[in-house]
Amino acid sequence: MERRYRHTLCIALAGLMASGNGLAQAAASAPSTVLDTQLRNEELQVLPQRQAFARHFRQAHARYPAIPTGTLESIAYVQTRWQHLRPDPLQGQQHAHNHMPAAYGVMGLYGGQGFADQVSEAAQLLGVRPQQVREDPLTNILAAAALLDRQIRQDFPAGDRTGLTGISLAPALEDIRPALERYAGFSPQAGIRAQGNIDDYARSSFAYDVLLALDRGVDDRGIVVPERPVQWERAFDVQRLIQLRAPMLRLDATRDRIEAGGIGIDPVTETLQRRDTPDPRAQSTENTATDTDAGIQSTDYGPAIWDPASSSNYTASRSAAVSAVTLHTAQGSYAGTISWFKNASAQVSAHYVIRSSDGQVTQMVRNAHTAWHVRNHNAYTLGIEHEGYVDNSSWYTSAMYDASAALVRSFCAGYSAIPCASAYSGAPSSGIQVLADSVKIKGHQHFSGQTHTDPGINWNWARYYALLNPGSGGSGTASVLDGFESSVGHFATSPTYSGSTTGIGSGSTATRDCSTARNGACSLRVLLKDDSASSAAWSVRLLSGAGSPSSNTALTRSGGTIGFWVYPAGSGLSVAVGIDDSDGTERSLSRTLPANTWTYVSWSLTDDAQWNAWAGGNGAITAASVTLDAIWLYRAQTAYDVNVYVDDVQITN
């Protein structure tokens, strides 16, 4: 699904689009290089605007101190990735054309058309014209702040026990979850909770995404969301956390399952899960899961969350066999897309929706049923919506690419008419480019009879093809998992995020750096600061998968070697990697690093002598398919700051 927005950041790639899939595969490396250059140029253009947004956020928090610090920045991250949205005025009738309701400004405020009219509501609160809310970034941020402040004060009136006398004290992050759910705007009237399990789940997902961005922190390409730990058991009922597949990464899983009142933590995915026979003491009357709730595991695709209530709107049998896959960009948030798709009157749907931050997958329509996403090609295609907007590359994370590719690989295994080798792998495009029917896995823009141009100019088809066809380059070919050229990639969380990390302080960071690199222009800079309250040696687990191991990229074990370049700007460092296999996490032997030089380190996935057991493992990598858990950094305790640079994390088979 796609709505045409003004492409203020896109750079045309005329002449690069291959006319056939064979030519596209032959030219795959060239489009990928051009796309990397395009994304770096985009980054330079958006940085001044994002610096201005940061100033506006500070003004809004000063004006509305009842809002916890960082919340507005996090909402903007969840809704727009800090891009000021300007829907094309020519798309004023988009509702009739089955688009999601338009969102405006850096805060992604809705303007009605099936969702709440947040723009008009906020304009009344501020005493300004709705046009000013839509067009002026500062007013847009103040508008969102006014709406959220009103919801917070509904729960915490002046003079109550929280200390909100006047406007001087904000409640705790965990306590604004209900206000965030009402603020989300998925109901036609602002602050009203429409009834229904899927609506409830969508609002919970929005609040969860906002709090999760704060819990992890964000520091990428000028987007800064301060890292603020969230007490998840206070924010949500435990059953809702299970439905949300919440990652409990600060809990150190040291055995196969850690049981607590019938709720277990899986040592590989590190997400909350129910036991086969739940302890009745763990049941709750609030947000409990039933057969009609969102959050049930899909039988079509195991890793997906299944929304059975939404599927009742889309149960039409297919008139043709499944033989193709359509990739979309949602032009909206994950939670908003789920809420919109459950509404049959919207006359739009897709089989799956994928979240940007961690690759979570929700199924909306059964594979055997027809979804409404690609006009005259609905009868034989499977549709995948990716959270985000076509003209903002920040949405297309490694976690999203990995989750999407894993889903499509399952299609290739289940449908003989969809070979993964038939996927498009040429240059991205901002327009319509019809591809031959022999190209079975392609974008909305590649089918005949369409007006939509998603997934658009920023989708890396060459990278996606390589994920669908691992090892397609031949024996001994390295596949770069993270080059850090256009985004942080898999390692997007703070070094202090995991509970297994010891010895370093909360000021430690992991950020993309384009002043020091081994290959290309950028690398990952890991700044390690000592925890002055601890005398422990440093042991740092730099998590992959954006902090959610269930989103880690799959690695083929056969003949595989995992490695990366590393530059320690100081002495005494050693490094290792962690790999998740079928029985837990195995950690490699450490490698000692020379100071102030780039060193390539690697470990064989088939040599048991290079691995030790860590969480639930047996000290050997035994599964055919494994995932990358983390990079480990070790050093004796010191009071000095230490920088470590990582580049070109890769797998060679």
Side-chain angles (χ1 to χ4, degrees):
M1 181 171 59
E2 177 259 357
R3 181 188 306 113
R4 293 184 181 179
Y5 279 66
R6 298 173 188 164
H7 291 275
T8 57
L9 301 177
C10 291
I11 299 173
L13 299 179
L16 287 176
M17 198 67 166
S19 59
N21 200 47
L23 288 175
Q25 292 179 25
S29 60
S32 184
T33 301
V34 173
L35 180 60
D36 285 343
T37 301
Q38 172 195 326
L39 297 181
R40 285 195 294 271
N41 289 337
E42 175 189 305
E43 180 176 346
L44 293 175
Q45 294 181 54
V46 301
L47 187 57
Q49 186 181 50
R50 287 172 174 169
Q51 290 172 339
F53 292 160
R55 295 192 296 271
H56 298 337
F57 287 128
R58 289 193 292 270
Q59 288 180 256
H61 279 294
R63 182 167 171 177
Y64 296 95
I67 300 174
T69 302
T71 305
L72 297 173
E73 293 92 324
S74 186
I75 292 174
Y77 177 74
V78 167
Q79 289 292 86
T80 72
R81 294 301 191 265
W82 285 34
Q83 180 186 23
H84 193 70
L85 301 179
R86 296 180 173 90
D88 191 329
L90 296 178
Q91 294 294 310
Q93 296 181 342
Q94 72 240 15
H95 185 58
H97 292 284
N98 305 332
H99 291 281
M100 277 189 64
Y104 297 88
V106 64
M107 302 305 293
L109 297 177
Y110 297 118
Q113 300 166 336
F115 280 173
D117 189 353
Q118 294 175 311
V119 169
S120 296
E121 289 272 344
Q124 290 183 342
L125 291 174
L126 294 179
V128 300
R129 293 177 294 111
Q131 182 179 359
Q132 186 174 341
V133 173
R134 289 191 292 266
E135 297 182 359
D136 177 60
L138 175 57
T139 306
N140 188 263
I141 291 171
L142 291 173
L147 291 172
L148 181 58
D149 179 79
R150 182 174 62 175
Q151 296 301 330
I152 290 174
R153 291 178 181 280
Q154 179 177 321
D155 296 330
F156 301 99
D160 75 357
R161 62 179 178 80
T162 67
L164 273 175
T165 303
I167 56 171
S168 60
L169 184 64
L173 281 175
E174 298 81 8
D175 296 332
I176 68 168
R177 185 266 301 167
L180 287 170
E181 290 179 344
R182 294 192 301 270
Y183 166 92
F186 301 148
S187 301
Q189 292 180 280
I192 301 298
R193 293 176 62 97
Q195 297 300 312
N197 293 315
I198 306 306
D199 272 321
D200 284 344
Y201 176 71
R203 282 187 292 270
S204 292
S205 184
F206 170 79
Y208 170 77
D209 285 348
V210 172
L211 294 176
L212 186 62
L214 282 160
D215 191 48
R216 292 173 173 166
V218 179
D219 188 353
D220 184 30
R221 290 180 279 186
I223 302 173
V224 179
V225 178
E227 183 178 341
R228 299 189 59 189
V230 173
Q231 296 182 46
W232 290 103
E233 68 280 7
R234 280 185 55 191
F236 291 95
D237 178 87
V238 69
Q239 299 293 349
R240 183 62 92 190
L241 288 173
I242 294 169
Q243 291 175 316
L244 292 165
R245 301 284 176 87
M248 295 293 132
L249 292 173
R250 283 188 299 276
L251 299 177
D252 187 358
T254 58
R255 57 185 188 270
D256 283 350
R257 295 190 68 85
I258 300 175
E259 304 291 347
I263 305 301
I265 301 169
D266 185 280
V268 175
T269 66
E270 294 182 8
T271 58
L272 288 177
Q273 297 182 358
R274 291 185 190 84
R275 297 173 58 183
D276 292 338
T277 305
D279 187 329
R281 293 172 299 176
Q283 301 299 316
S284 168
T285 58
E286 180 188 0
N287 288 335
T288 55
T290 70
D291 289 342
T292 58
D293 279 341
I296 299 173
Q297 189 174 29
S298 166
T299 56
D300 284 333
Y301 180 62
I305 296 171
W306 165 233
D307 281 351
S310 69
S311 71
S312 61
N313 297 323
Y314 310 104
T315 56
S317 299
R318 292 185 178 275
S319 58
V322 174
S323 60
V325 179
T326 309
L327 272 59
H328 302 268
T329 295
Q331 293 299 96
S333 69
Y334 178 73
T337 302
I338 291 171
S339 178
W340 190 241
F341 281 1
K342 61 87 186 175
N343 182 2
S345 63
Q347 296 186 341
V348 62
S349 59
H351 293 87
Y352 297 89
V353 184
I354 299 181
R355 186 161 62 193
S356 170
S357 62
D358 61 359
Q360 185 182 93
V361 182
T362 289
Q363 184 176 13
M364 302 297 297
V365 182
R366 287 292 192 196
N367 291 0
H369 294 154
T370 302
W372 307 333
H373 60 108
V374 63
R375 289 191 172 186
N376 51 311
H377 302 279
N378 289 332
Y380 66 91
T381 59
L382 292 163
I384 305 173
E385 289 282 357
H386 299 86
E387 178 186 30
Y389 292 85
V390 295
D391 51 3
N392 186 343
S393 64
S394 298
W395 294 96
Y396 302 130
T397 62
S398 294
M400 174 178 278
Y401 277 116
D402 292 341
S404 179
L407 174 60
V408 174
R409 287 197 302 270
S410 77
F411 297 159
C412 296
Y415 299 96
S416 59
I418 311 177
C420 278
S422 71
Y424 176 63
S425 64
S429 168
S430 60
I432 300 294
Q433 182 73 30
V434 178
L435 297 179
D437 291 343
S438 59
V439 184
K440 300 294 187 179
I441 303 166
K442 53 193 175 184
H444 194 170
Q445 66 194 116
H446 297 146
F447 286 84
S448 62
Q450 309 303 309
T451 59
H452 297 179
T453 61
D454 56 312
I457 193 70
N458 290 310
W459 185 264
N460 192 330
W461 287 103
R463 174 182 182 179
Y464 196 64
Y465 183 90
L467 290 171
L468 293 176
N469 300 277
S472 57
S475 178
T477 299
S479 175
V480 176
L481 307 176
D482 274 309
F484 309 106
E485 292 305 296
S486 58
S487 67
V488 173
H490 293 77
F491 301 96
T493 55
S494 161
T496 60
Y497 187 69
S498 171
S500 53
T501 293
T502 58
I504 60 171
S506 60
S508 301
T509 59
T511 57
R512 183 163 157 265
D513 183 273
C514 295
S515 62
T516 302
R518 174 57 177 78
N519 297 312
C522 305
S523 67
L524 183 73
R525 177 195 178 204
V526 185
L527 171 60
L528 302 178
K529 289 180 170 288
D530 184 51
D531 179 1
S532 59
S534 170
S535 60
W538 293 354
S539 179
V540 179
R541 184 182 177 218
L542 184 64
L543 286 160
S544 178
S548 179
S550 58
S551 300
N552 287 344
T553 188
L555 310 173
T556 300
R557 174 173 170 261
S558 179
T561 299
I562 183 75
F564 51 90
W565 288 94
V566 58
Y567 182 109
S571 60
L573 265 291
S574 58
V575 64
V577 294
I579 297 292
D580 286 332
D581 66 358
S582 57
D583 62 7
T585 304
E586 321 296 345
R587 186 165 53 181
S588 74
L589 301 179
S590 62
R591 311 274 196 227
T592 302
L593 300 173
N596 303 312
T597 187
W598 284 102
T599 301
Y600 187 77
V601 291
S602 63
W603 296 264
S604 169
L605 298 176
T606 57
D607 182 0
D608 293 350
Q610 297 187 31
W611 301 91
N612 293 311
W614 183 58
N618 59 9
I621 298 175
T622 54
S625 179
V626 298
T627 61
L628 175 62
D629 172 69
I631 290 175
W632 284 86
L633 302 169
Y634 308 100
R635 195 193 187 284
Q637 189 269 342
T638 178
Y640 296 101
D641 294 349
V642 176
N643 283 294
V644 185
Y645 298 87
V646 177
D647 204 357
D648 278 10
V649 182
Q650 56 195 273
I651 177 73
T652 302
N653 292 103

